[in-house]
Amino acid sequence: MRDRNLRHDQVNVGLSRRAVLTGIGALAGIGAVNLLTATGRAAHATPALRTGGRSVAVLGGGMAGLTAAHELAERGFTVTVYEPTALGGKARSITAPGTGTGGRSDLPGEHGFRFFPGFYQHIPDTMHRIPFPGNPNGVFDNLVAAGGFRMSVAGGPDLMMPAPGAPTRLEMYNADVLRDSLTAMFTMGTSVPAPEMSVFLKKLVMFLTSSIERRDGEWEHQTWAQTLEVAGKSQAYRTVLVSALTRQLVAARPDRASTRTIGRIGQAFVLNAAGVVPEYGHLDRLLNAPTNEAWIDPWAAMLRGIGVRFEMGKKIVGLEMAGGRISGARVVDETGRASAIEADWYVSAMPVERAVELLTPQLLDADPTLAGMRELVVDWMVGVQFFLRRSAPLSDGHVAYLGSPWALTSINQAQFWRGDFAARYGDGSAVDCLSVDISDWDSPGILYGKPAKRCSREEIFAETWAQMQRSVNDGPTPMLRDEDVVHRFLDPGVAWDPGRSANTNATPLLVNTVGSLEHRPHARTAIPNLFLAGDYIRTDIDLATMESANESARAAVNALLEAADSPAPPCAMYRLHEPAELAPMRALDAQRYAAGLPHILQT
């Protein structure tokens, strides 16, 4: 088997299709990534507390909370993390209880599955700083590269795409060459009619050459579906180019997500796939073990080693104010017993649906901009695991079940995880974990005609399995066989509510909606000792991701360092790459936008 291990400076392996290499090669002149070691300092800082206090209460132990604790502890602060459930939040492993026998661990479930695109930069930086036995680059060396990607369509030919590679450098870079490059990339193996593909590529080139002002002012208020003119288009267009690029890649709904956000992430995927940004890693990376083993547990151990305290089973239920600052927080433990905590500084690292519960009139009087948090929207995207006695030969990477009503994606985990799966987990009968993300919980399924939110646990298992079988069992040899399923596991955050005849979800996911940028708060608040971290904060990546949560925590720490007059260096901050070669076109568009004119390709 080929070596999957990644070095920090590893670039992508080559594609086999000459036409795609030549087409994408036009992107090779894009240049280096914009790496900013930013201070995160605001032009007009909020009043600092000149107390010299060094104690920090981090409220929440998910991705944002652990990142904030890490950065603060390394800079000499005394940090206590308060977490009600489990460290790692939605990034953690969730094992199937009681399934391990004979000294083996319980079967490892996940909140869906972990995916680390190459354009993530904050997360890899953090991983490099977490020691792991035998790894010179720490936890980062536990990332491995997927070999390809499968797009499966029921009743039609599946598209197998190899891992993208470094293209051939071309001398010219203009809108025509860019259009040809994207044509080669997106038409490979698809059944989208040529006129419709032309519409899609025109819109994509328009976005790539749009000014930041147009993106923030115009594209932010258009949905992805509106921009792509989905009405009247073919099923292939709607399935492959509209839905798959949102629901199944970035957990967003095309009829709700802003073109600004989907366009920026789409641009990052394109540049990453082209292999033209040296600092970007392999496009499709995964962990070589369950997330807790490969990342969260070593991280928590490292943080304890540098002095971070974890107060588990502690839920924040209120913030107290006195003299214009946070004077304390109220917590309850798992028994319901209440207590109070005090610190010099507070970093709220809770998910947005929990953070808004703390917005009292007193807090909103101190910072009215926080009221916008109530306008942010959460939705469902959680996972199912099927543990198999025979590994299903689906793909050397992720599988997207195009056209599946529940917008399913999956990955066979054991091929990436170290060691013998059967010897390490369960009762020894399972050799693989087929981990599935359900991205659409509101559309009716094919077995019961009900959305996942109204299906029982057993119906969710049956419906998910049937939708996958319909996509991949249409060949001469069935890939998914009923008799191979040893055990099934649904994210425990999903629970049946008999009174409503529907499921509840304790761990919803923030979703992007048009116009939501103005409602996202900054990491620095007007309350001088309160800072916000989480994937709902304004970040460069602007999606509910581990990367966004990590970035937001760094921004919160940098704001805290300034408020505390700390001499410690700020956290490194990174930006998604904007091609310098497109700057003249974006500058022209900025002039047109300021004059009230449409993009030049719109005329």
Side-chain angles (χ1 to χ4, degrees):
M1 180 179 292
R2 60 183 173 82
D3 182 10
R4 296 180 182 275
N5 291 323
L6 295 167
R7 303 187 314 275
H8 180 49
D9 59 350
Q10 182 174 351
V11 297
N12 302 337
V13 298
L15 281 172
S16 59
R17 295 203 175 203
R18 185 178 185 86
V20 178
L21 285 174
T22 303
I24 300 177
L27 299 173
I30 287 172
V33 68
N34 295 325
L35 172 60
L36 303 179
T37 306
T39 65
R41 307 194 190 280
H44 302 287
T46 55
L49 299 179
R50 311 298 180 184
T51 64
R54 307 290 290 177
S55 66
V56 184
V58 176
L59 313 180
M63 182 56 52
L66 292 178
T67 302
H70 188 163
E71 301 291 349
L72 287 164
E74 285 189 338
R75 289 161 174 80
F77 286 82
T78 301
V79 182
T80 303
V81 176
Y82 298 87
E83 167 55 40
T85 308
L87 298 179
K90 298 181 184 73
R92 74 189 190 278
S93 301
I94 309 173
T95 57
T99 55
T101 64
R104 288 176 289 265
S105 300
D106 287 339
L107 291 169
E110 305 279 345
H111 189 91
F113 48 75
R114 305 280 73 74
F115 167 48
F116 301 81
F119 55 83
Y120 280 13
Q121 298 176 85
H122 297 92
I123 290 289
D125 176 75
T126 294
M127 287 179 153
H128 271 83
R129 292 150 51 206
I130 304 171
F132 194 90
N135 288 0
N137 296 305
V139 163
F140 178 84
D141 287 342
N142 289 337
L143 288 179
V144 295
F149 184 77
R150 183 189 195 112
M151 299 172 69
S152 183
V153 182
D158 290 357
L159 173 62
M160 302 292 291
M161 300 181 67
T168 303
R169 180 175 294 273
L170 298 184
E171 296 300 324
M172 293 187 62
Y173 194 97
N174 56 43
D176 290 334
V177 175
L178 180 61
R179 181 198 59 225
D180 294 342
S181 305
L182 296 172
T183 299
M185 180 182 296
F186 284 99
T187 58
M188 185 177 69
T190 68
S191 56
V192 178
E196 296 180 357
M197 180 62 72
S198 178
V199 171
F200 172 79
L201 294 171
K202 175 183 175 181
K203 297 292 186 178
L204 195 51
V205 172
M206 284 175 59
F207 185 87
L208 290 171
T209 56
S210 286
S211 62
I212 301 301
E213 293 83 1
R214 188 180 300 279
R215 293 181 183 184
D216 291 349
E218 179 180 331
W219 298 116
E220 169 65 13
H221 297 280
Q222 283 187 21
T223 69
W224 183 245
Q226 287 172 331
T227 296
L228 294 187
E229 302 173 3
V230 67
K233 297 295 192 298
S234 67
Q235 183 64 43
Y237 182 88
R238 287 180 279 126
T239 297
V240 176
L241 299 181
V242 180
S243 180
L245 293 179
T246 51
R247 266 302 198 186
Q248 288 163 304
L249 275 183
V250 295
R253 290 183 53 166
D255 59 340
R256 300 179 71 183
S258 77
T259 298
R260 171 189 177 273
T261 296
I262 301 304
R264 294 191 76 244
I265 296 301
Q267 174 177 295
F269 271 108
V270 167
L271 300 184
N272 202 166
V276 298
V277 183
E279 283 75 17
Y280 285 1
H282 193 283
L283 178 63
D284 191 353
R285 302 175 295 191
L286 305 98
L287 290 166
N288 65 0
T291 306
N292 279 13
E293 293 182 34
W295 182 16
I296 303 300
D297 290 346
W299 199 3
M302 174 257 190
L303 294 179
R304 289 188 178 98
I306 59 175
V308 175
R309 292 179 55 239
F310 293 103
E311 292 285 343
M312 302 303 296
K314 300 294 180 67
K315 180 180 180 180
I316 307 299
V317 295
L319 296 174
E320 302 291 345
M321 288 193 67
R325 62 187 291 267
I326 302 298
S327 58
R330 303 190 309 276
V331 302
V332 295
D333 62 19
E334 294 170 312
T335 69
R337 183 175 60 183
S339 60
I341 61 173
E342 292 185 2
D344 297 306
W345 312 95
Y346 296 82
V347 177
S348 173
M350 296 174 283
V352 65
E353 69 275 8
R354 288 188 52 214
V356 296
E357 297 173 356
L358 307 182
L359 294 179
T360 62
Q362 196 174 13
L363 259 69
L364 293 177
D365 285 344
D367 190 344
T369 66
L370 300 181
M373 291 163 54
R374 291 173 172 164
E375 305 301 318
L376 300 176
V377 177
V378 295
D379 206 341
W380 295 27
M381 184 179 179
V382 293
V384 174
Q385 276 79 44
F386 295 92
F387 297 96
L388 308 176
R389 69 178 78 253
R390 180 189 71 107
S391 184
L394 295 176
S395 173
D396 192 18
H398 292 88
V399 180
Y401 302 84
L402 301 185
S404 57
W406 290 1
L408 305 176
T409 51
S410 75
I411 193 147
N412 289 86
Q413 299 277 26
Q415 62 182 317
F416 302 100
W417 287 351
R418 57 176 179 258
D420 185 325
F421 188 95
R424 297 191 66 195
Y425 307 109
D427 62 3
S429 61
V431 303
D432 200 359
C433 171
L434 179 60
S435 190
V436 186
D437 261 339
I438 302 174
S439 299
D440 187 337
W441 286 73
D442 297 305
S443 296
I446 63 176
L447 291 183
Y448 308 106
K450 296 187 295 185
K453 287 180 179 177
R454 295 199 170 272
C455 285
S456 69
R457 184 174 297 265
E458 290 302 315
E459 288 172 338
I460 290 174
F461 290 139
E463 183 73 63
T464 302
W465 188 252
Q467 290 184 31
M468 291 191 298
Q469 283 184 317
R470 186 174 72 167
S471 288
V472 300
N473 281 6
D474 51 0
T477 303
M479 294 185 178
L480 296 178
R481 307 185 309 184
D482 295 344
E483 60 267 27
D484 290 332
V485 179
V486 173
H487 188 77
R488 303 168 300 180
F489 183 63
L490 175 64
D491 189 301
V494 177
W496 182 256
D497 181 353
R500 297 194 306 130
S501 297
N503 288 302
T504 60
N505 184 5
T507 54
L509 187 74
L510 178 77
V511 294
N512 180 267
T513 56
V514 290
S516 60
L517 178 64
E518 65 179 290
H519 301 305
R520 286 177 173 259
H522 293 279
R524 177 192 296 274
T525 74
I527 302 168
N529 66 335
L530 175 64
F531 308 90
L532 304 180
D535 56 20
Y536 66 96
I537 306 303
R538 291 198 188 201
T539 60
D540 193 48
I541 205 164
D542 194 35
L543 269 179
T545 60
M546 298 178 292
E547 177 76 354
S548 179
N550 189 298
E551 178 188 348
S552 72
R554 292 168 182 243
V557 170
N558 284 347
L560 192 157
L561 294 175
E562 182 184 14
D565 279 340
S566 172
C571 308
M573 303 291 290
Y574 304 85
R575 304 279 297 181
L576 291 174
H577 182 65
E578 289 291 345
E581 286 74 11
L582 292 178
M585 287 180 263
R586 292 198 302 268
L588 172 63
D589 187 60
Q591 296 174 9
R592 294 182 61 85
Y593 183 74
L597 298 173
H599 191 282
I600 194 169
L601 294 181
Q602 190 68 44
T603 58

